[in-house]
Amino acid sequence: MNWANRLTLGRLLLTIVFVAALNSSWHYGRTVALIVFLLAGVSDFIDGEIARRYGIVTDFGKLMDPLVDKIMIAAAFISLVPLKAVPAWAATTVVARDFLITGLRMMASAKGKILPAEMLGKQKTSWQVVTVIFFLALLSLNELRYVNETSTWWVRAWNQAGPVLVGITVALTIFSALAYAWRHRALIAPNE
């Protein structure tokens, strides 16, 4: 197993640590969750760079890298629901979109086709990451006592900017799913 694939598997382990920290009663659990999420993001960039630069792109990496990314994002959105950062319907939308696109890719694979990621999907992922980091950063600042939940700017950021970020993320999530499905509708159409 090459280093890029090891980093991908490491990111899966980081996801477990992330979820445990974010949902724990540890004194600095939310700050740990933010740091782990950021480390996972850096490892995602590094593993892709290593694979491309050294020509060690593998079938394992092609499958597992995007799958681990989806697991990390789904875990983040689901974990933010009980903290009242993300509404359950938004988390469900994010997770459902990834299941549907993964299913479409599996259908394509069964027909010998590979459906690559597209720019709109990458933009959607970027907004998802920004949204998660926004809420994790606010939770961390509160936990480190730099602010408290009654600080005017903190409340405004949580209650006004947060829903805007969630709205943009959900809109891009839905739009990218519909666009992707439309472009690959031939795979969905029944055989005649």
Side-chain angles (χ1 to χ4, degrees):
M1 179 169 292
N2 65 45
W3 277 104
N5 292 341
R6 286 184 183 129
L7 283 171
T8 296
L9 289 178
R11 200 161 62 258
L12 189 57
L13 293 176
L14 285 176
T15 301
I16 295 166
V17 174
F18 165 77
V19 171
L22 189 56
N23 293 290
S24 74
S25 57
W26 303 343
H27 187 60
Y28 293 110
R30 290 168 181 163
T31 302
V32 169
L34 171 62
I35 292 166
V36 169
F37 191 83
L38 292 171
L39 284 173
V42 169
S43 79
D44 185 28
F45 172 77
I46 291 171
D47 72 20
E49 194 61 30
I50 288 171
R52 285 184 296 277
R53 181 173 293 171
Y54 297 105
I56 51 174
V57 176
T58 63
D59 289 338
F60 177 86
K62 286 180 196 174
L63 173 69
M64 290 304 292
D65 186 65
L67 184 60
V68 170
D69 292 347
K70 288 176 185 0
I71 291 169
M72 183 78 174
I73 290 294
F77 272 84
I78 291 167
S79 294
L80 286 169
V81 170
L83 299 173
K84 301 200 180 332
V86 174
W89 63 266
T92 302
T93 302
V94 167
V95 173
R97 185 260 186 214
D98 284 340
F99 274 119
L100 291 171
I101 297 305
T102 300
L104 186 60
R105 287 185 172 144
M106 289 173 67
M107 288 173 64
S109 178
K111 295 180 180 183
K113 298 177 182 175
I114 296 174
L115 302 183
E118 296 178 355
M119 186 55 66
L120 189 57
K122 292 178 182 183
Q123 291 171 351
K124 174 264 317 170
T125 301
S126 296
W127 278 97
Q128 289 174 344
V129 168
V130 166
T131 301
V132 170
I133 290 172
F134 171 81
F135 284 113
L136 291 176
L138 287 178
L139 289 166
S140 176
L141 287 171
N142 177 254
E143 180 178 71
L144 295 171
R145 307 217 190 292
Y146 288 118
V147 297
N148 62 45
E149 291 181 13
T150 60
S151 297
T152 305
W153 75 266
W154 193 94
V155 170
R156 201 172 305 141
W158 189 274
N159 292 328
Q160 294 174 4
V164 170
L165 279 173
V166 170
I168 291 168
T169 298
V170 169
L172 272 172
T173 297
I174 293 168
F175 182 71
S176 69
L178 293 173
Y180 201 79
W182 179 255
R183 269 190 292 288
H184 303 291
R185 63 190 176 278
L187 290 170
I188 303 168
N191 294 335
E192 296 184 20

